[in-house]
Amino acid sequence: MRQKSDSLVQTSGEKPGLDVLADVLQGIHLRSRVHARYELTAPWGMRIERAPFPVFYAVMRGNCLLSAGEKELSLTGGDFVFLPAGAKFTLKDRRGSRVLPVEAIYATRQPIRCGGVLHYGGGGEAVTVLGGSFTFEGETLSPLVRHLPTLMHVKADDPASSRWLEPTLRFVASEIEAQQPGYETVVSRLADVLFVQALRAHLESSSKDNGWLRALVDPRIGAVLQRVHEKPEAPWTLEGLARAASMSRSVFAERFKQLVGEPPLVYVGRWRMHRAMTLMRTRDTSVAEVARAVGYETESAFGKAFRRWVGMTPGAFRRASVATPAPGGMPAASPSPGRRAG
């Protein structure tokens, strides 16, 4: 394999985590949808036993309570909250209010289009809430989706979020109100923006949390992730990665696994195969060219590594992708790493 220097220069002034986050977001093909605008009057309460998708709620006016497990949050106008798939939670006007399964609330109403209005409650104090969901195609393969926080609460009165949260929510509300041609697409893309901005806010405020998300903003591990994502074709070794982090090999390996959840060279191999899958799915590129683009000198060596990670040959993968298009993702399997990644 042609050797390249492990000492890659980081662009001055960049935050390492943000580039890696954008790279991974492109691979999960985020799809957002606003389901309804809830016009709620006290007393009211709704219960979700198990969210089928990651969900979000944005309080447009008024106040309410969200309870998820042992956490109870007071939400006020302008707040945004995200919960992952599988979450069990309740929304209600105050403690003690009766809650109904959300399915029962929808059962007596006509199907609602994007942002359609759902009225519910006892006629008292009013609150307006936007509710929607996110889906991630190829979600089981993504480090981001595996490490999403159990709850993200972006507060309207947080100075860091006030610059974008209130204007974005106002834009969403105006689109839903006007319902001009194409409004559903506009609203969905704005919901994408809310998700990404909420992740940014979480990264800025949650330095105590371990996991892949924290690795993005760790000064040393985040810088290494950026280099690996930018240059998957480089002949990365454990020594070279540790040197890029200005750490000893043993300390770097331990820190990387603690944050990312797997050894450094396994992550490198995973990202190489992710790039290879994306190239074969989206470009008319030969297998040999793909192999070189992700750090393999020969098509044979690449083919063996690809099959070890993905479970099929590159040719079979390309044929399957043509027959049934699907978005890219990082392979879930983890081959035994050697001294060199791949």
Side-chain angles (χ1 to χ4, degrees):
M1 182 183 295
R2 181 167 57 92
Q3 295 295 307
K4 300 181 182 178
S5 170
D6 283 318
S7 181
L8 300 173
V9 179
Q10 179 181 335
T11 303
S12 175
E14 287 186 335
K15 293 183 178 181
L18 296 183
D19 284 347
V20 177
L21 179 59
D23 212 8
V24 173
L25 281 167
Q26 290 175 9
I28 63 173
H29 292 260
L30 174 65
R31 301 272 193 273
S32 306
R33 184 180 174 218
V34 174
H35 294 291
R37 185 176 82 233
Y38 300 101
E39 295 293 348
L40 307 163
T41 54
W44 62 270
M46 60 179 72
R47 180 175 68 248
I48 290 81
E49 290 292 343
R50 187 180 186 279
F53 307 106
V55 295
F56 70 88
Y57 294 93
V59 182
M60 308 303 290
R61 63 166 178 159
N63 305 283
C64 60
L65 289 178
L66 182 144
S67 299
E70 297 180 354
K71 294 183 178 180
E72 183 178 79
L73 300 178
S74 295
L75 305 180
T76 190
D79 281 11
F80 175 90
V81 64
F82 165 92
L83 300 105
K88 179 179 179 179
F89 59 95
T90 62
L91 273 175
K92 52 191 174 184
D93 65 303
R94 59 180 175 81
R95 291 176 183 172
S97 289
R98 181 189 178 201
V99 295
L100 294 178
V102 69
E103 296 84 0
I105 296 171
Y106 273 90
T108 58
R109 292 163 173 83
Q110 296 295 321
I112 299 173
R113 292 189 63 187
C114 171
V117 179
L118 186 150
H119 294 276
Y120 168 56
E125 186 176 355
V127 60
T128 301
V129 178
L130 282 180
S133 64
F134 302 107
T135 57
F136 312 102
E137 297 179 3
E139 61 184 278
T140 59
L141 309 177
S142 169
L144 171 62
V145 178
R146 290 204 311 271
H147 292 279
L148 280 174
T150 56
L151 183 66
M152 286 194 295
H153 178 200
V154 183
K155 298 181 180 180
D157 59 3
D158 185 336
S161 61
S162 61
R163 298 190 306 270
W164 59 266
L165 183 57
E166 193 272 336
T168 306
L169 291 178
R170 190 168 63 243
F171 195 176
V172 170
S174 66
E175 283 291 321
I176 291 175
E177 185 70 26
Q179 294 195 6
Q180 294 181 340
Y183 84 96
E184 293 186 14
T185 299
V186 173
V187 169
S188 295
R189 297 295 77 78
L190 289 171
D192 290 351
V193 171
L194 286 171
F195 175 74
V196 176
Q197 292 281 31
L199 279 178
R200 286 178 172 177
H202 181 78
L203 286 172
E204 293 292 331
S205 64
S206 302
S207 59
K208 295 186 296 183
D209 295 339
N210 286 333
W212 183 82
L213 283 168
R214 185 183 175 190
L216 298 184
V217 292
D218 183 274
R220 296 186 178 185
I221 303 304
V224 169
L225 288 176
Q226 183 186 43
R227 296 183 185 196
V228 169
H229 279 241
E230 289 177 343
K231 297 286 184 180
E233 75 278 11
W236 295 112
T237 62
L238 183 58
E239 292 85 351
L241 292 168
R243 187 161 58 249
S246 300
M247 302 170 74
S248 72
R249 189 173 68 175
S250 59
V251 172
F252 166 73
E254 181 179 356
R255 178 65 172 169
F256 190 99
K257 187 173 182 179
Q258 176 191 17
L259 292 181
V260 179
E262 60 189 354
L265 297 185
V266 173
Y267 188 90
V268 172
R270 180 191 301 275
W271 190 251
R272 283 175 170 170
M273 293 304 112
H274 160 74
R275 282 289 176 85
M277 293 163 69
T278 301
L279 287 171
M280 286 190 289
R281 185 180 290 114
T282 60
R283 300 184 188 178
D284 186 15
T285 308
S286 71
V287 173
E289 290 173 317
V290 172
R292 288 192 294 272
V294 295
Y296 292 86
E297 190 172 67
T298 68
E299 187 175 334
S300 173
F302 169 69
K304 290 178 182 178
F306 190 90
R307 183 162 190 166
R308 193 164 66 244
W309 279 97
V310 183
M312 65 179 73
T313 66
F317 174 82
R318 174 164 271 168
R319 289 191 294 272
S321 298
V322 171
T324 308
M330 295 180 70
S334 296
S336 299
R339 295 275 296 172
R340 194 173 285 282

